Amino acid sequence: MTQNSPLQLSLPVHLPDDETFNSYYPAAGNDELIQTLRACAEGRSQGAVYLWGPVKSGRTHLMHAACAHANELERSSFYIPLGIHASISTALLEGLEQLDLVCIDDVDAIAGHPLWEEAIFDLYNRVAEQKHCALVVSGSAAPIDAGFALPDLISRMQWGLNYQLQPMADEEKLVALQRRAAMRGLQLPEDVGRFLLNRLARDLRTLFDVLDRLDKASMVHQRKLTIPFIKEMLRL
């Protein structure tokens, strides 16, 4: 939730400072999705958007980025990851249609839970009645394949804009890693970057987390990022 929200609800969720549109490295085929999310954050697009992709595909980064962009423009926004639905109440969704931007992440986490499915369906309907609110929802699969039991909810999700997040090719990940390193004042040689891609999980979140660890280690030990140094630090 942003500081501008009229709904001062307590959530154990904080937007990462480094997950913005500027720090997102789009794979080929995702340009229209990013333009749409920017439009939602800026108030140039209302209604509902559904995007899907596997865990750690970058969809959470994009939703954080949309909320951060709305914040910069002093527009009200709200972000909620439904992976925590067991510890919160559906009452949290009440009144969200009053905001400019609502981002609901991991919506398929509530698939098969009648109360939550009804609550999300009702939110879709309330947003549809507004002229200023944009609703962005993400899941790991398309609405029809996400396991929802409520047919009307599936229909609502399919009515809006739907995007499948396209995966990054290894060459794109290498460029993203090198850019991330450069932002931290590090030089990541191509052979070192390829070594990381070949030896670690290939999602960007894991790769960036490892790069952050290596950044700190390189400062402590005053060493450059080389394959021997990385093997030593990561015990590979």
Side-chain angles (χ1 to χ4, degrees):
M1 183 173 60
T2 73
Q3 66 272 23
N4 296 319
S5 171
L7 305 174
Q8 296 300 319
L9 301 169
S10 178
L11 264 184
V13 175
H14 301 281
L15 297 180
D17 293 336
D18 61 345
E19 294 195 356
T20 66
F21 285 125
N22 288 337
S23 65
Y24 182 75
Y25 306 98
N30 290 328
D31 290 345
E32 182 180 337
L33 165 59
I34 295 171
Q35 292 172 5
T36 297
L37 295 180
R38 281 185 175 275
C40 288
E42 295 168 3
R44 295 184 289 108
S45 178
Q46 293 77 41
V49 176
Y50 185 97
L51 64 107
W52 78 95
V55 174
K56 297 183 180 180
S57 61
R59 52 187 170 88
T60 296
H61 184 139
L62 284 174
M63 301 188 86
H64 288 165
C67 287
H69 191 44
N71 292 353
E72 292 172 355
L73 300 174
E74 299 185 349
R75 294 174 56 78
S76 58
S77 69
F78 187 93
Y79 169 82
I80 176 173
L82 286 187
I84 65 170
H85 72 276
S87 61
I88 58 177
S89 167
T90 57
L92 194 66
L93 304 181
E94 295 176 4
L96 293 185
E97 71 279 1
Q98 301 170 22
L99 306 180
D100 297 315
L101 174 66
V102 178
C103 290
I104 298 179
D105 206 358
D106 300 321
V107 70
D108 46 326
I110 58 93
H113 296 267
L115 288 179
W116 272 103
E117 290 198 20
E118 287 283 356
I120 297 294
F121 174 65
D122 289 343
L123 177 60
Y124 262 89
N125 288 338
R126 297 196 306 272
V127 167
E129 295 173 355
Q130 301 295 323
K131 295 183 178 180
H132 68 279
C133 182
L135 174 63
V136 180
V137 179
S138 92
S140 61
I144 194 67
D145 299 319
F148 297 111
L150 186 62
D152 288 343
L153 175 58
I154 297 173
S155 295
R156 276 287 184 269
M157 291 176 169
Q158 291 176 324
W159 279 3
L161 295 173
N162 277 230
Y163 294 95
Q164 181 177 10
L165 197 59
Q166 299 301 314
M168 296 184 78
D170 283 352
E171 291 301 316
E172 293 172 319
K173 292 177 184 179
L174 176 60
V175 172
L177 268 176
Q178 290 178 316
R179 288 180 180 174
R180 180 84 165 198
M183 289 173 60
R184 294 182 171 276
L186 293 170
Q187 182 180 4
L188 183 68
E190 182 175 332
D191 63 329
V192 177
R194 293 191 185 281
F195 176 80
L196 291 174
L197 286 171
N198 291 332
R199 298 297 294 271
L200 302 173
R202 295 192 174 191
D203 63 276
L204 277 189
R205 178 161 294 184
T206 296
L207 291 168
F208 284 171
D209 286 346
V210 169
L211 187 61
D212 291 345
R213 288 168 51 195
L214 292 173
D215 178 22
K216 294 174 183 177
S218 69
M219 288 189 292
V220 170
H221 297 279
Q222 293 294 300
R223 293 176 62 182
K224 295 181 179 180
L225 294 185
T226 62
I227 292 177
F229 176 63
I230 289 174
K231 285 183 175 179
E232 179 184 345
M233 290 297 100
L234 301 182
R235 298 181 179 179
L236 297 175

